[in-house]
Short mmCIF file of all heavy atoms in Angstrom, two decimals:
data_model
loop_
_atom_site.label_atom_id
_atom_site.label_comp_id
_atom_site.label_asym_id
_atom_site.label_seq_id
_atom_site.Cartn_x
_atom_site.Cartn_y
_atom_site.Cartn_z
N LYS T 4 100.14 82.29 95.19
CA LYS T 4 100.34 81.67 96.49
C LYS T 4 99.10 81.82 97.37
O LYS T 4 98.67 80.82 97.96
CB LYS T 4 101.57 82.29 97.18
CG LYS T 4 101.87 81.68 98.53
CD LYS T 4 103.06 82.37 99.18
CE LYS T 4 103.29 81.80 100.57
NZ LYS T 4 104.45 82.47 101.23
N ALA T 5 98.55 83.01 97.43
CA ALA T 5 97.33 83.24 98.23
C ALA T 5 96.13 82.47 97.71
O ALA T 5 95.40 81.88 98.46
CB ALA T 5 97.01 84.76 98.25
N MET T 6 96.02 82.35 96.38
CA MET T 6 94.90 81.60 95.77
C MET T 6 95.07 80.13 96.17
O MET T 6 94.04 79.48 96.49
CB MET T 6 94.95 81.77 94.24
CG MET T 6 93.91 80.93 93.53
SD MET T 6 93.89 81.07 91.73
CE MET T 6 95.58 81.29 91.29
N TYR T 7 96.27 79.57 96.11
CA TYR T 7 96.50 78.23 96.44
C TYR T 7 96.19 77.96 97.95
O TYR T 7 95.54 76.99 98.28
CB TYR T 7 97.91 77.77 96.14
CG TYR T 7 98.19 76.36 96.45
CD1 TYR T 7 97.86 75.35 95.53
CD2 TYR T 7 98.75 75.97 97.68
CE1 TYR T 7 98.07 74.02 95.83
CE2 TYR T 7 98.96 74.63 97.97
CZ TYR T 7 98.63 73.69 97.03
OH TYR T 7 98.83 72.35 97.35
N LEU T 8 96.65 78.88 98.79
CA LEU T 8 96.46 78.68 100.24
C LEU T 8 94.96 78.77 100.61
O LEU T 8 94.54 78.20 101.59
CB LEU T 8 97.25 79.69 101.03
CG LEU T 8 98.75 79.34 101.10
CD1 LEU T 8 99.55 80.50 101.71
CD2 LEU T 8 99.00 78.04 101.84
N LEU T 9 94.16 79.53 99.83
CA LEU T 9 92.73 79.52 100.08
C LEU T 9 92.12 78.14 99.84
O LEU T 9 91.25 77.75 100.59
CB LEU T 9 92.06 80.58 99.20
CG LEU T 9 92.17 82.02 99.68
CD1 LEU T 9 91.59 83.00 98.64
CD2 LEU T 9 91.49 82.21 101.04
N ALA T 10 92.59 77.50 98.78
CA ALA T 10 92.08 76.20 98.45
C ALA T 10 92.68 75.07 99.29
O ALA T 10 92.00 74.09 99.62
CB ALA T 10 92.30 75.90 96.94
N TYR T 11 93.95 75.22 99.65
CA TYR T 11 94.63 74.18 100.42
C TYR T 11 95.43 74.85 101.58
O TYR T 11 96.65 74.95 101.49
CB TYR T 11 95.62 73.40 99.48
CG TYR T 11 94.94 72.77 98.33
CD1 TYR T 11 94.83 73.43 97.06
CD2 TYR T 11 94.41 71.47 98.48
CE1 TYR T 11 94.24 72.77 96.01
CE2 TYR T 11 93.83 70.85 97.38
CZ TYR T 11 93.73 71.50 96.17
OH TYR T 11 93.13 70.90 95.06
N PRO T 12 94.76 75.22 102.64
CA PRO T 12 95.47 75.95 103.69
C PRO T 12 96.50 75.18 104.45
O PRO T 12 97.39 75.82 105.05
CB PRO T 12 94.31 76.37 104.64
CG PRO T 12 93.18 75.47 104.30
CD PRO T 12 93.34 75.03 102.89
N ASP T 13 96.44 73.84 104.47
CA ASP T 13 97.40 73.07 105.23
C ASP T 13 98.65 72.61 104.42
O ASP T 13 99.52 72.00 105.00
CB ASP T 13 96.74 71.85 105.82
CG ASP T 13 95.64 72.21 106.80
OD1 ASP T 13 95.75 73.29 107.45
OD2 ASP T 13 94.64 71.50 106.91
N ASP T 14 98.67 72.90 103.14
CA ASP T 14 99.78 72.45 102.26
C ASP T 14 100.97 73.38 102.37
O ASP T 14 100.83 74.58 102.65
CB ASP T 14 99.32 72.34 100.83
CG ASP T 14 98.44 71.12 100.59
OD1 ASP T 14 98.17 70.40 101.54
OD2 ASP T 14 98.09 70.89 99.44
N ALA T 15 102.12 72.84 102.06
CA ALA T 15 103.36 73.63 102.01
C ALA T 15 103.45 74.36 100.67
O ALA T 15 103.26 73.79 99.63
CB ALA T 15 104.59 72.74 102.19
N VAL T 16 103.73 75.66 100.70
CA VAL T 16 103.87 76.48 99.53
C VAL T 16 105.24 77.18 99.63
O VAL T 16 105.61 77.72 100.63
CB VAL T 16 102.79 77.56 99.43
CG1 VAL T 16 102.91 78.38 98.16
CG2 VAL T 16 101.40 76.89 99.46
N TYR T 17 105.96 77.14 98.54
CA TYR T 17 107.32 77.73 98.46
C TYR T 17 107.31 78.81 97.39
O TYR T 17 107.07 78.54 96.22
CB TYR T 17 108.37 76.68 98.13
CG TYR T 17 108.29 75.47 99.09
CD1 TYR T 17 107.52 74.33 98.76
CD2 TYR T 17 108.95 75.50 100.28
CE1 TYR T 17 107.48 73.31 99.62
CE2 TYR T 17 108.94 74.43 101.14
CZ TYR T 17 108.14 73.30 100.82
OH TYR T 17 108.09 72.25 101.68
N MET T 18 107.67 80.05 97.82
CA MET T 18 107.83 81.12 96.84
C MET T 18 109.28 81.44 96.80
O MET T 18 109.90 81.82 97.80
CB MET T 18 106.95 82.33 97.28
CG MET T 18 106.85 83.38 96.19
SD MET T 18 105.58 84.60 96.56
CE MET T 18 106.65 85.90 97.15
N ASP T 19 109.91 81.35 95.64
CA ASP T 19 111.36 81.56 95.45
C ASP T 19 111.65 82.55 94.39
O ASP T 19 110.92 82.70 93.40
CB ASP T 19 112.01 80.21 95.08
CG ASP T 19 111.81 79.12 96.13
OD1 ASP T 19 112.02 79.38 97.30
OD2 ASP T 19 111.39 78.01 95.66
N TYR T 20 112.80 83.19 94.53
CA TYR T 20 113.31 84.06 93.50
C TYR T 20 114.64 83.54 93.07
O TYR T 20 115.57 83.40 93.87
CB TYR T 20 113.51 85.51 94.07
CG TYR T 20 114.07 86.46 93.01
CD1 TYR T 20 113.29 86.85 91.97
CD2 TYR T 20 115.37 86.93 93.17
CE1 TYR T 20 113.83 87.72 91.02
CE2 TYR T 20 115.87 87.76 92.23
CZ TYR T 20 115.11 88.18 91.14
OH TYR T 20 115.59 89.06 90.20
N GLU T 21 114.69 83.11 91.80
CA GLU T 21 115.94 82.71 91.19
C GLU T 21 116.15 83.63 89.99
O GLU T 21 115.43 83.50 89.01
CB GLU T 21 115.85 81.25 90.72
CG GLU T 21 115.59 80.28 91.89
CD GLU T 21 115.20 78.90 91.43
OE1 GLU T 21 115.43 78.55 90.24
OE2 GLU T 21 114.66 78.12 92.23
N GLN T 22 117.03 84.56 90.19
CA GLN T 22 117.19 85.66 89.24
C GLN T 22 117.15 85.17 87.78
O GLN T 22 117.87 84.20 87.46
CB GLN T 22 118.54 86.41 89.50
CG GLN T 22 118.66 87.65 88.75
CD GLN T 22 119.88 88.42 89.18
OE1 GLN T 22 120.63 88.02 90.03
NE2 GLN T 22 120.08 89.56 88.59
N PRO T 23 116.32 85.69 86.95
CA PRO T 23 115.42 86.77 87.11
C PRO T 23 113.95 86.36 87.30
O PRO T 23 113.02 87.12 87.10
CB PRO T 23 115.52 87.52 85.73
CG PRO T 23 115.66 86.36 84.78
CD PRO T 23 116.50 85.31 85.52
N ASN T 24 113.73 85.14 87.76
CA ASN T 24 112.37 84.55 87.82
C ASN T 24 111.87 84.42 89.27
O ASN T 24 112.61 84.09 90.15
CB ASN T 24 112.34 83.21 87.16
CG ASN T 24 112.64 83.23 85.69
OD1 ASN T 24 112.10 84.03 84.96
ND2 ASN T 24 113.60 82.41 85.28
N TRP T 25 110.54 84.64 89.42
CA TRP T 25 109.81 84.31 90.62
C TRP T 25 109.07 83.02 90.38
O TRP T 25 108.54 82.79 89.32
CB TRP T 25 108.82 85.42 90.97
CG TRP T 25 109.46 86.60 91.60
CD1 TRP T 25 109.90 87.69 91.03
CD2 TRP T 25 109.75 86.73 92.99
NE1 TRP T 25 110.43 88.57 91.90
CE2 TRP T 25 110.39 87.98 93.14
CE3 TRP T 25 109.57 85.96 94.14
CZ2 TRP T 25 110.80 88.47 94.37
CZ3 TRP T 25 110.00 86.43 95.35
CH2 TRP T 25 110.58 87.68 95.46
N PHE T 26 109.09 82.11 91.41
CA PHE T 26 108.43 80.82 91.25
C PHE T 26 107.54 80.62 92.50
O PHE T 26 107.85 81.00 93.59
CB PHE T 26 109.45 79.68 91.33
CG PHE T 26 110.32 79.61 90.06
CD1 PHE T 26 111.55 80.22 90.06
CD2 PHE T 26 109.94 78.90 88.97
CE1 PHE T 26 112.40 80.19 88.97
CE2 PHE T 26 110.71 78.82 87.86
CZ PHE T 26 111.94 79.45 87.83
N VAL T 27 106.42 79.90 92.23
CA VAL T 27 105.59 79.42 93.30
C VAL T 27 105.50 77.90 93.10
O VAL T 27 105.05 77.43 92.01
CB VAL T 27 104.20 80.01 93.32
CG1 VAL T 27 103.31 79.36 94.44
CG2 VAL T 27 104.23 81.53 93.53
N ARG T 28 106.00 77.11 94.08
CA ARG T 28 105.99 75.66 93.99
C ARG T 28 105.29 75.11 95.23
O ARG T 28 105.38 75.71 96.29
CB ARG T 28 107.41 75.12 93.91
CG ARG T 28 108.11 75.57 92.62
CD ARG T 28 109.48 74.93 92.56
NE ARG T 28 110.19 75.36 91.34
CZ ARG T 28 111.20 76.24 91.35
NH1 ARG T 28 111.63 76.76 92.47
NH2 ARG T 28 111.75 76.60 90.20
N VAL T 29 104.64 73.97 95.03
CA VAL T 29 103.91 73.38 96.14
C VAL T 29 104.24 71.88 96.25
O VAL T 29 104.67 71.25 95.28
CB VAL T 29 102.39 73.52 95.97
CG1 VAL T 29 101.98 74.96 96.00
CG2 VAL T 29 101.89 72.82 94.73
N GLY T 30 104.12 71.38 97.47
CA GLY T 30 104.23 69.96 97.73
C GLY T 30 105.62 69.43 97.98
O GLY T 30 106.62 70.11 97.57
N ASP T 31 105.69 68.33 98.58
CA ASP T 31 106.93 67.54 98.76
C ASP T 31 106.54 66.08 98.46
O ASP T 31 106.16 65.32 99.31
CB ASP T 31 107.45 67.67 100.22
CG ASP T 31 108.04 68.98 100.50
OD1 ASP T 31 108.84 69.48 99.70
OD2 ASP T 31 107.68 69.57 101.53
#
């Protein structure tokens, strides 16, 4: 998430936990 935000600071980033997985998703 931090790496993405360095490259695209204005974009929406979603970090979710859906047991048992962590996800990082971007964009709408």
Side-chain angles (χ1 to χ4, degrees):
K4 179 180 176 181
M6 176 180 36
Y7 181 83
L8 285 172
L9 281 174
Y11 301 93
D13 297 330
D14 286 3
V16 181
Y17 306 93
M18 194 168 99
D19 302 310
Y20 178 70
E21 298 168 19
Q22 190 173 1
N24 297 310
W25 281 95
F26 292 93
V27 176
R28 295 184 182 105
V29 297
D31 288 312

